[in-house]
Amino acid sequence: MSYIKITSSQISNLDYSLKREVLQTNNVGSYCYSTIIGTNTRKYHGLLAVPQPHIDLDQHVLLSTITEEITEDQHHYELGTQKYPNTYAPHSCHYISTIEVEPVHKVTYAIGHVILTKELVLVPYKNQILIRYTLIDSKSAVQLKLNPFLAFKNKHCLNKANSTWNTRNIKVPSGVCFHPYELYDKLFLQFSSNKSTFVEESDWYYNAEYEREKERGYDYHEDLWKPGYFLADLRKGESLVFSAGLKEVNPKGLKSSFTKAVQKLPLFKTMEDCLIHAASQFIIQRDRQTEVIAGYPWFNRWGRDTFIALPGLTLSQGNVKDFKAVLDGMIQELNGPLFPNLGTGKQAARNAVDTPLWLFWTLQQYVQHTATPSTLWKKYGVYMKSILNGYKEGTQYNIQMQDNALIYAGEEGVALTWMDAVCENKVVTPRMGYAVEINALWYNAVCFSVASARLSGDEDFVSNWEPYINKIKTAFLETFWDQEKGYLADVAKDGFVDWSIRPNQVIATSLAFTPLNEKQCRAVLLVVENKLLTPRGLRSLSPDDPNYIGSYQGSQQSRDSAYHQGTVWPWLLGHYAEGYLKIHQNKGVGWIQSLYNDFENTLQEHGLGTVSEVYDGDPPHHPRGAISQAWSVAELLRIHQMLHKYYKIK
């Protein structure tokens, strides 16, 4: 029985079914992604989106969708549902009797005497989607007609009809090949049956309408090219497999390829099963490097997100191999004291003050699982020194240790912390100066490095850096702590102190080395709990603040304005949980367990089986942003692991 359940009444309710999305990935950067009923509502949706590294770093949607038609005993039915201006054509949701999303996305159609199933699987480590059609029941043979719609566009863009599109096709065994643009890879469409036929009927379909893009304030009409259609006969109990991929295949092997691909997929029995599978979707191989995708559908690799998410995505399941592969790949891109936050090579943007400091936290998680501080220092000490010395001496964007031993960072118009939204060339959440989590991470990094160096016998480093520990701690408390307020300031600069209640302070309570004592941690956690905690994570700003925005939706300007001004972030819950359990130990398990368990409800709200990027600050906390976010999933898995330290979760 499927863990994620969708009822027939939910399927036919477009307000429900068009807001639930299913994602499949294949660990080499490709994805298959749409709503549960297969109606595309985003420009990012597509049956096959693949990397085109010779063009850019993004995925490109080649095959947008396929609509099916069946003819049985002279009765004709159209199954696919697509949105066009003012209409759905055809409106065929009522033909769907059941939908399952694991181990494969399976749709069952019940039409008169006909019961037909459609199962989709993205082949692991191959740029290929397989769709198996099975005629479960029918009084007579059924003719199946497949109408493919091609896009060949960057996932962030919309395809428009144009005269440069090459409409010619190349015959291949049991199918055809298309190559609309010279820059792109060829797309091969093939059937498992040698009795199938392709009928050429080239035409543009104009103004496919994407409702989610309309809501987000973007252009939402796309033109798709239909090259023709495939015809094949199906008898009761018979299956056919359709393939779309970048390489020609032997049609005779498609059925076995489908079976083998399905056998590799997991069954979900618990919330943790869903999270572990979702975690695996973020780890990809690209150019012989192992990387973390920050989120689907629109994110690529982000340096900050990589270090924050990596322990939860890998170490929480004992996956040391992928942890080390990602870590070592990132380490090689360290330039001075800074990592790429976005992009690679010469195009990399090294504009994040916290990314290098999160490396130390990531290494601490590694030590907790398998490594020892002394062996870690021998391998990574040179990089840790490079970061600390670089921050001490000063680097880009005015990132530099000051005389008080705290880190000052920032330039006008640049957002260097994770609260990095920029709207109309203006930083939405200015945090130039001494930022609280940056300096908490700095203190943790120095303490951890000194402890590791001491165990490795690196006395020169210890003697040089140990004196800074107390200096940083003293300056941190003088700068950020207020005994009467009972919480930490967010930013300090030139005598001005920002006392906005934000979640950044919670990181100081969770770190292994913190400048706060237990009483101060308790006070911070209490303020966070009273003002910021929700069932979906921590708000980015207290609702009492006049700058609070409780809903994250609308145009990009509206969303950017709300991104860190009240919007809820699940990843921060990991640091709240860790800080809380450090203080309350066994007595705190029940509370953190209840917060973790409550996320089970969200697994069927947005991206099925995964956790969204953000949620509204106001109840009922609707899911927003990317449907599947790496650090959201990772920190829930890390919370689950924390709880295992106290008792076995059932």
Side-chain angles (χ1 to χ4, degrees):
M1 181 177 291
S2 179
Y3 173 76
I4 297 176
K5 300 176 177 63
I6 305 165
T7 66
S8 57
S9 61
Q10 290 170 334
I11 293 168
S12 59
N13 178 359
L14 290 182
D15 188 54
Y16 178 94
S17 57
L18 293 182
K19 291 180 180 177
R20 271 69 182 177
E21 301 172 57
V22 181
L23 171 74
Q24 295 186 53
T25 69
N26 66 352
N27 300 109
V28 290
S30 298
Y31 68 73
C32 171
Y33 170 48
S34 189
T35 61
I36 57 173
I37 61 173
T39 300
N40 292 344
T41 60
R42 301 184 189 271
K43 59 190 174 187
Y44 299 94
H45 282 159
L47 285 177
L48 184 64
V50 300
Q52 296 288 275
H54 43 285
I55 299 177
D56 54 37
L57 296 176
D58 293 325
Q59 295 100 338
H60 290 245
V61 179
L62 303 190
L63 179 61
S64 177
T65 189
I66 290 177
T67 62
E68 297 86 9
E69 301 174 41
I70 61 171
T71 302
E72 188 258 349
D73 193 23
Q74 298 183 342
H75 296 288
H76 185 76
Y77 306 95
E78 297 180 88
L79 305 186
T81 299
Q82 297 303 317
K83 179 72 161 58
Y84 294 93
N86 303 314
T87 187
Y88 286 92
H91 198 311
S92 57
C93 292
H94 57 281
Y95 292 144
I96 301 175
S97 61
T98 62
I99 292 177
E100 301 171 44
V101 298
E102 42 85 14
V104 296
H105 184 188
K106 180 179 180 180
V107 181
T108 300
Y109 300 94
I111 311 162
H113 301 293
V114 175
I115 299 178
L116 177 74
T117 61
K118 173 185 178 181
E119 302 165 278
L120 301 91
V121 61
L122 189 66
V123 181
Y125 297 99
K126 289 185 179 180
N127 297 308
Q128 182 186 27
I129 179 75
L130 297 177
I131 307 175
R132 183 169 69 183
Y133 297 93
T134 304
L135 187 60
I136 303 298
D137 197 10
S138 178
K139 285 190 172 182
S140 59
V142 166
Q143 184 184 66
L144 177 65
K145 179 181 179 181
L146 302 186
N147 305 291
F149 292 84
L150 278 54
F152 276 79
K153 54 79 182 282
N154 180 292
K155 66 180 180 180
H156 299 294
C157 302
L158 290 166
N159 185 45
K160 299 294 183 181
N162 63 87
S163 60
T164 63
W165 184 286
N166 182 359
T167 61
R168 288 175 294 180
N169 65 75
I170 304 168
K171 300 296 183 184
V172 296
S174 297
V176 286
C177 168
F178 301 102
H179 197 201
Y181 300 118
E182 193 63 34
L183 277 178
Y184 277 87
D185 286 328
K186 296 176 181 177
L187 178 65
F188 293 84
L189 306 182
Q190 296 175 268
F191 249 121
S192 60
S193 170
N194 58 10
K195 296 181 180 179
S196 64
T197 59
F198 175 73
V199 179
E200 187 173 356
E201 192 178 75
S202 178
D203 201 1
W204 284 100
Y205 278 63
Y206 298 94
N207 294 323
E209 193 166 280
Y210 301 141
E211 188 64 27
R212 298 289 89 80
E213 302 307 323
K214 181 180 180 181
E215 292 172 357
R216 299 171 72 230
Y218 297 126
D219 183 6
Y220 56 97
H221 288 118
E222 178 164 65
D223 302 333
L224 299 170
W225 183 58
K226 178 187 167 188
Y229 55 88
F230 293 88
L231 292 175
D233 291 332
L234 266 176
R235 299 185 181 279
K236 181 178 177 180
E238 188 178 11
S239 294
L240 290 175
V241 175
F242 176 83
S243 167
L246 301 189
K247 293 183 179 180
E248 181 182 323
V249 297
N250 183 350
K252 294 180 180 179
L254 287 176
K255 289 185 178 181
S256 62
S257 294
F258 185 95
T259 301
K260 290 176 182 177
V262 172
Q263 290 172 345
K264 296 178 181 179
L265 298 176
L267 284 171
F268 303 160
K269 296 182 180 179
T270 65
M271 173 182 166
E272 187 186 11
D273 291 340
C274 290
L275 294 176
I276 290 173
H277 177 65
S280 71
Q281 295 185 317
F282 300 109
I283 308 293
I284 71 162
Q285 308 292 324
R286 178 157 43 194
D287 296 331
R288 299 182 181 179
Q289 294 287 330
T290 306
E291 298 180 351
V292 171
I293 294 292
Y296 291 100
W298 43 75
F299 290 105
N300 284 318
R301 187 192 74 171
W302 283 70
R304 173 189 295 118
D305 300 52
T306 293
F307 287 132
I308 294 175
L310 187 57
L313 296 181
T314 57
L315 295 179
S316 65
Q317 296 100 60
N319 182 2
V320 178
K321 179 181 177 181
D322 281 341
F323 174 88
K324 291 176 66 177
V326 173
L327 176 63
D328 292 345
M330 286 293 297
I331 285 287
Q332 297 307 310
E333 296 191 57
L334 183 67
N335 188 340
L338 298 178
F339 286 102
N341 195 43
L342 180 64
T344 59
K346 295 180 180 179
Q347 287 74 43
R350 302 175 188 275
N351 59 346
V353 60
D354 53 339
T355 300
L357 301 178
W358 280 112
L359 168 68
F360 295 85
W361 177 84
T362 303
L363 291 173
Q364 286 173 301
Q365 312 309 306
Y366 187 26
V367 168
Q368 290 179 16
H369 284 82
T370 181
T372 63
S374 59
T375 57
L376 181 140
W377 184 255
K378 290 176 183 177
K379 181 172 182 180
Y380 298 108
V382 62
Y383 306 107
M384 297 161 73
K385 290 178 182 179
S386 178
I387 294 168
L388 296 182
N389 289 328
Y391 274 43
K392 180 182 177 182
E393 295 166 5
T395 185
Q396 301 174 56
Y397 304 109
N398 287 327
I399 300 171
Q400 185 171 19
M401 187 181 82
Q402 302 297 298
D403 291 341
N404 60 5
L406 295 182
I407 298 299
Y408 181 100
E411 293 179 354
E412 290 294 340
V414 180
L416 296 179
T417 73
W418 80 276
M419 291 187 164
D420 56 359
V422 177
C423 184
E424 296 181 342
N425 297 318
K426 183 179 179 180
V427 177
V428 177
T429 314
R431 304 186 72 227
M432 182 166 62
Y434 300 113
V436 64
E437 82 280 12
I438 302 304
N439 284 285
L441 288 165
W442 172 245
Y443 178 79
N444 178 69
V446 173
C447 291
F448 176 59
S449 298
V450 168
S452 301
R454 178 177 283 114
L455 289 173
S456 290
D458 190 344
E459 295 302 328
D460 288 341
F461 179 87
V462 173
S463 62
N464 287 332
W465 280 92
E466 190 170 33
Y468 287 108
I469 292 177
N470 285 333
K471 192 173 183 179
I472 298 169
K473 180 177 181 178
T474 299
F476 183 93
L477 294 174
E478 290 176 349
T479 303
F480 298 106
W481 176 252
D482 184 283
Q483 184 66 33
E484 186 175 336
K485 288 183 172 63
Y487 66 93
L488 295 171
D490 193 58
V491 182
K493 178 194 173 189
D494 300 332
F496 169 76
V497 181
D498 181 0
W499 288 102
S500 302
I501 297 177
R502 294 190 180 276
N504 303 303
Q505 60 186 308
V506 82
I507 293 170
T509 72
S510 68
L511 297 171
F513 298 97
T514 174
L516 303 179
N517 60 35
E518 182 178 317
K519 185 177 181 180
Q520 290 165 333
C521 285
R522 285 179 180 271
V524 168
L525 289 168
L526 183 60
V527 169
V528 168
E529 182 177 328
N530 289 337
K531 299 296 183 181
L532 304 177
L533 183 64
T534 77
R536 294 293 174 261
L538 302 187
R539 293 186 180 98
S540 44
L541 184 64
S542 167
D544 297 336
D545 196 290
N547 294 313
Y548 173 81
I549 301 174
S551 180
Y552 178 81
Q553 57 183 326
S555 68
Q556 183 168 353
Q557 180 178 351
S558 298
R559 288 179 284 114
D560 285 345
S561 297
Y563 208 32
H564 303 108
Q565 296 292 84
T567 297
V568 171
W569 293 78
W571 78 270
L572 293 163
L573 193 63
H575 293 277
Y576 170 80
E578 190 161 21
Y580 192 89
L581 290 173
K582 279 172 61 179
I583 291 174
H584 297 281
Q585 298 289 310
N586 286 319
K587 293 181 180 179
V589 168
W591 172 236
I592 301 303
Q593 176 80 72
S594 67
L595 291 174
Y596 172 83
N597 289 346
D598 200 54
F599 266 88
E600 188 164 24
N601 297 323
T602 198
L603 298 182
Q604 298 193 58
E605 288 180 347
H606 200 193
L608 298 193
T610 187
V611 185
S612 302
E613 175 190 8
V614 293
Y615 294 79
D616 283 344
D618 289 343
H621 308 295
H622 290 298
R624 306 291 187 186
I627 65 151
S628 185
Q629 195 74 3
W631 57 13
S632 299
V633 171
E635 284 300 273
L636 283 173
L637 284 169
R638 210 167 63 83
I639 291 173
H640 186 269
Q641 187 182 42
M642 293 176 206
L643 292 168
H644 265 289
K645 294 179 181 178
Y646 298 94
Y647 70 101
K648 186 72 174 178
I649 299 175
K650 298 181 181 179

